[in-house]
Amino acid sequence: MRFTGTDRYVATEDLAVAVNAAVTLERPLLVKGEPGTGKTELARQVAESLGLPMIEWHVKSTTRAQQGLYEYDAVSRLRDSQLGDERVHDVRNYIRKGKLWQAFEAEGRVVLLIDEVDKADIEFPNDLLQELDRMEFHVYETGETIRARQRPIVIITSNNEKELPDAFLRRCFFHYIRFPDPETLRRIIEVHHPGIKEALLTQALTRFYEIRETPGLKKKPSTSEVLDWLKLLLAEDLAPEDLRADPRTALPRLHGALLKNEQDVHLFERLAFMARSGR
């Protein structure tokens, strides 16, 4: 079982090496990188490439590690006991299986995505150390131990919003997805927009990298945003010369696909004003 990318996902050589190393070591793959560089999609494409089912656990700021194992619904059990429901005699009726439980009890191997782990509380990764290491956990309400039938391929993503604990990092194989160079980005675009005209692509990429490299930019546009921008350019049937920046604002056409906050829009407007004033 080796990952080399798919028809719909361009995997660089170092990324493919990282995925295969994590699979061989049977350790979680921790993937970091700018938002929009394909971290979440990587897990889906690994599952597709290896022909495995996928289970996704999307972490939020309120997510607790226990929710990935199971949750005991004591409130529903109390309500049912007051109503005389026979279900109350079996506590299993009030156990809700989490994503890790689902992955552990799967008949075959699965890919488990723990997405945006850095959104949760700082203790969240530490609270999963034992379960991810031993591939088992205890259900106190029933007294049973849930063990993985087959060790899942665990892919954990992070947007680098906060530092992760050293003990957690020690148990992972780490890979940082760098922003693609122009040649790799061309390959990615060709996958999503096959047959795009060379002149339009060249002009669009030149403009895109100019925007990314503008000093003072608060949020650099990502891979997913350039794909959205190109989709709009193609829908509007724009020519390469249409992509030149508006001299009054220095903003590209349809800039709302690339610039996502008013500070960055104002930055380009100030640059245009300064350029005019310096003439």
Side-chain angles (χ1 to χ4, degrees):
M1 299 175 71
R2 293 192 64 79
F3 174 71
T4 57
T6 67
D7 293 340
R8 296 185 293 113
Y9 190 91
V10 176
T12 57
E13 183 178 353
D14 59 338
L15 177 56
V17 167
V19 171
N20 294 317
V23 173
T24 300
L25 293 172
E26 296 188 328
R27 290 191 177 275
L29 173 64
L30 174 61
V31 184
K32 290 187 178 183
E34 294 180 29
T37 49
K39 300 184 298 297
T40 302
E41 188 61 25
L42 169 66
R44 296 172 182 146
Q45 295 303 318
V46 168
E48 179 179 316
S49 173
L50 302 181
L52 300 176
M54 181 169 170
I55 295 174
E56 301 186 28
W57 184 13
H58 298 285
V59 177
K60 301 178 181 179
S61 60
T62 55
T63 301
R64 295 176 293 108
Q66 180 64 31
Q67 292 171 311
L69 308 180
Y70 69 93
E71 291 184 279
Y72 169 52
D73 192 351
V75 174
S76 292
R77 194 181 189 194
L78 174 62
R79 183 192 63 226
D80 288 349
S81 68
Q82 294 170 338
L83 297 174
D85 194 319
E86 289 297 316
R87 285 164 36 91
V88 299
H89 300 299
D90 187 354
V91 69
R92 289 178 177 81
N93 291 323
Y94 303 93
I95 300 291
R96 297 177 182 172
K97 298 177 181 179
K99 299 296 185 180
L100 264 72
W101 189 329
Q102 295 172 30
F104 285 5
E105 73 173 3
E107 292 291 336
R109 201 173 198 186
V110 302
V111 174
L112 172 63
L113 168 66
I114 304 177
D115 197 29
E116 298 189 325
V117 68
D118 52 330
K119 276 189 175 180
D121 184 86
I122 189 61
E123 290 304 318
F124 176 88
N126 277 338
D127 291 343
L128 289 175
L129 286 180
Q130 180 171 309
E131 289 76 14
L132 290 176
D133 209 22
R134 298 184 181 179
M135 286 288 147
E136 65 178 40
F137 63 90
H138 188 70
V139 183
Y140 296 98
E141 289 77 6
T142 65
E144 61 185 323
T145 297
I146 305 301
R147 294 184 177 88
R149 295 180 181 179
Q150 291 202 47
R151 181 179 286 267
I153 296 172
V154 181
I155 297 178
I156 303 171
T157 71
S158 168
N159 286 329
N160 242 355
E161 292 182 4
K162 62 169 69 88
E163 289 296 320
L164 298 174
D166 288 345
F168 178 77
L169 295 174
R170 199 162 54 242
R171 288 166 169 81
C172 297
F173 190 92
F174 172 74
H175 182 75
Y176 184 85
I177 298 182
R178 297 181 179 85
F179 191 82
D181 57 44
E183 184 55 38
T184 303
L185 189 54
R186 278 176 175 270
R187 290 167 54 204
I188 293 171
I189 291 169
E190 186 61 35
V191 168
H192 292 270
H193 302 297
I196 186 171
K197 293 179 180 178
E198 178 62 28
L200 178 64
L201 178 57
T202 299
Q203 182 64 29
L205 285 182
T206 298
R207 191 75 189 99
F208 173 72
Y209 278 101
E210 286 175 353
I211 292 170
R212 268 190 63 88
E213 293 164 10
T214 300
L217 203 62
K218 183 176 181 181
K219 182 194 176 304
K220 295 182 179 182
S222 66
T223 308
S224 63
E225 287 158 344
V226 73
L227 292 174
D228 286 345
W229 187 49
L230 284 167
K231 184 177 181 179
L232 291 173
L233 298 182
L234 292 170
E236 294 290 330
D237 196 23
L238 296 180
E241 53 270 19
D242 296 326
L243 303 189
R244 298 192 183 97
D246 185 336
R248 296 169 299 173
T249 62
L251 290 167
R253 294 284 292 273
L254 301 165
H255 64 269
L258 299 174
L259 304 176
K260 299 302 177 72
N261 58 66
E262 64 276 14
Q263 294 98 316
D264 288 342
V265 173
H266 292 158
L267 170 64
F268 280 90
E269 291 172 341
R270 288 197 302 273
L271 291 173
F273 176 77
M274 292 167 62
R276 291 197 305 271
S277 299
R279 288 176 183 173

